[in-house]
Amino acid sequence: MTSSPLTPSSSPSPLEHGGRLHTIAQQYNRPVADWLDVSTGIAPESYPLPDLPSSVWHRLPEITPSFLKAASDYYGCESLLPVAGSQSVIQHLPAIVSRAGRKPSRVWVPHPGYKEHEKAWADAGVPVYRYRHLPHLTALKSGDIVVVINPNNPTGTLEERTTLATLQEQLHALNGLLIIDEAFMDCTPEHSMLQSLHGENLLVLRSAGKFFGLAGIRAGFLFASRQWRERCSAVLGPWQINGPALQVLESAFNDVSWQSVQRSQLNESALWLGNLLTTHFGVKCTGTALFCTMPHTRAPELFAAFCAEGVYPRLTDEKDALRFGMVTVSQRARLAQVVARVSGIMERP
Ligand SMILES: Cc1ncc(COP(=O)(O)O)c(C=O)c1O
């Protein structure tokens, strides 16, 4: 855990993410169509697109009662604001918090973790403290903000709801805020804070892109009190989610049987992938049903070896692990062959 804050970045620059398939394909001189892209935590099977009425292209997007019902039934919470991906809230959190008249003195972010949280606060000039384990009460000060990614990306660490409820109370006593990013929570909803969302100091983010395999439509949600949702809406502006995306999502949220199949397929895939990697590389993997993270001392070399075989994983920002997204059943044979070949190469001196 860092005891001194990170220096605010002097020249805000974009971070690297997975999903840069065209760039990687060019770098390794292999046609895009020949790649197995496992560089993200997006489900390999997308929700099948329904037929869309032409009005969704023509009319301005409108959040209808039926959309709100479908979304709140799916998440089990009505206090929601639809946004164009949870990233759109993450990058505006400093502005949203400042609209509440708060001037945060410090922000705690998980490390390793999805770096956009750290970047948003550092770019806004707020001192950022990194933590490996949730900050203890004795480390917290008045007005602190704690960001928790639950489960964490890329480590998969899952915090218990009781632990988070205690942290929320402690922060409340300190006039602080708890922000929970549940982008990868869909396969473990029993751990979601949405079941007991209350209070003025808890903001929860959800992503619709990962579990539903619909990252391209850019959809997510902020769950918080009405005041926080109004502030967020004022910062982000109207028509956050486009009309076609609203229509697709409403179907996806209502399709409980598809969700149940998706959940069990993802769980089964994660088990298969974890076993495959552990068997060949002899290391324990961590993760969620949407990704599997394998620590390795030669991770950059491994990354290059996988790419040379047309498999594109995510090299973590710390360059000490590879993260693999799930593959479909029909892609398993190819991934298994490449894993066997790459692990063979790595055994050579
Ligand atoms: C932990 C975490 N939160 C949020 C996001 C943003 O997701 P989206 O904007 O697609 O909802 C990501 C994207 O990878 C992520 O890993």
Side-chain angles (χ1 to χ4, degrees):
M1 190 167 75
T2 345
S3 52
S4 54
L6 302 172
T7 14
S9 38
S10 47
S11 58
S13 53
L15 295 169
E16 241 186 50
H17 294 288
R20 299 158 47 243
L21 182 58
H22 285 77
T23 310
I24 294 288
Q26 201 174 31
Q27 216 170 310
Y28 286 85
N29 200 21
R30 181 187 285 265
V32 167
D34 284 359
W35 284 82
L36 191 52
D37 180 0
V38 284
S39 68
T40 70
I42 300 162
E45 305 273 11
S46 299
Y47 182 72
L49 298 182
D51 287 336
L52 298 177
S54 58
S55 58
V56 299
W57 304 101
H58 176 72
R59 294 181 56 81
L60 280 170
E62 192 176 2
I63 306 293
T64 59
S66 62
F67 176 84
L68 285 177
K69 168 140 183 23
S72 50
D73 284 353
Y74 174 74
Y75 289 109
C77 181
E78 288 180 352
S79 308
L80 60 85
L81 175 73
V83 293
S86 53
Q87 174 58 35
S88 70
V89 179
I90 293 171
Q91 69 198 49
H92 289 103
L93 277 169
I96 295 164
V97 166
S98 134
R99 258 193 119 82
R102 286 172 176 260
K103 202 176 171 319
S105 43
R106 316 186 308 172
V107 174
W108 295 82
V109 298
H111 180 79
Y114 181 60
K115 279 256 177 1
E116 294 284 352
H117 285 284
E118 180 177 312
K119 178 175 163 42
W121 294 102
D123 287 352
V126 179
V128 175
Y129 286 68
R130 291 172 169 177
Y131 69 82
R132 267 185 195 276
H133 303 288
L134 285 182
H136 192 259
L137 176 60
T138 51
L140 296 174
K141 286 192 188 156
S142 173
D144 273 4
I145 294 179
V146 179
V147 175
V148 181
I149 304 172
N150 202 36
N152 191 22
N153 168 21
T155 62
T157 305
L158 188 63
E159 300 294 346
E160 293 294 331
R161 285 173 57 213
T162 47
T163 309
L164 294 173
T166 305
L167 181 60
Q168 186 189 351
E169 267 174 44
Q170 291 168 343
L171 285 165
H172 175 68
L174 290 166
N175 193 29
L177 280 183
L178 178 58
I179 296 169
I180 304 184
D181 177 346
E182 295 189 349
F184 291 98
M185 191 58 99
D186 297 59
C187 286
T188 49
E190 67 281 10
H191 290 280
S192 170
M193 287 301 272
L194 295 183
Q195 293 181 39
S196 53
L197 186 89
H198 71 280
E200 274 302 316
N201 74 328
L202 176 62
L203 282 75
V204 178
L205 302 171
R206 294 292 290 251
S207 172
K210 296 167 195 331
F211 173 74
F212 289 101
L214 293 171
I217 67 174
R218 311 302 308 129
F221 294 85
L222 168 70
F223 289 86
S225 70
R226 191 172 45 80
Q227 286 92 323
W228 279 112
R229 284 179 278 139
E230 281 172 5
R231 287 172 196 129
C232 181
S233 186
V235 169
L236 298 182
W239 309 304
Q240 273 287 299
I241 307 192
N242 65 69
L246 286 172
Q247 194 85 22
V248 173
L249 269 184
E250 187 172 328
S251 294
F253 287 146
N254 283 329
D255 200 338
V256 177
S257 60
W258 183 89
Q259 293 158 19
S260 148
V261 172
Q262 177 81 331
R263 209 164 278 132
S264 54
Q265 275 177 353
L266 288 170
N267 283 327
E268 208 257 317
S269 293
L271 216 57
W272 176 83
L273 183 54
N275 282 337
L276 177 76
L277 294 170
T278 302
T279 305
H280 286 277
F281 291 99
V283 289
K284 196 174 171 307
C285 298
T286 58
T288 68
L290 285 154
F291 60 80
C292 202
T293 301
M294 180 178 77
H296 204 283
T297 46
R298 291 158 71 190
E301 230 179 299
L302 262 188
F303 175 78
F306 272 106
C307 287
E309 297 276 356
V311 169
Y312 169 29
R314 167 80 154 96
L315 176 63
T316 57
D317 297 322
E318 292 70 32
K319 315 232 178 304
D320 58 0
L322 291 187
R323 192 197 64 194
F324 295 81
M326 297 306 135
V327 291
T328 61
V329 172
S330 62
Q331 292 167 332
R332 283 186 188 180
R334 178 174 176 197
L335 183 59
Q337 278 168 6
V338 171
V339 165
R341 270 204 297 276
V342 170
S343 65
I345 298 169
M346 297 306 280
E347 273 164 20
R348 288 185 218 138

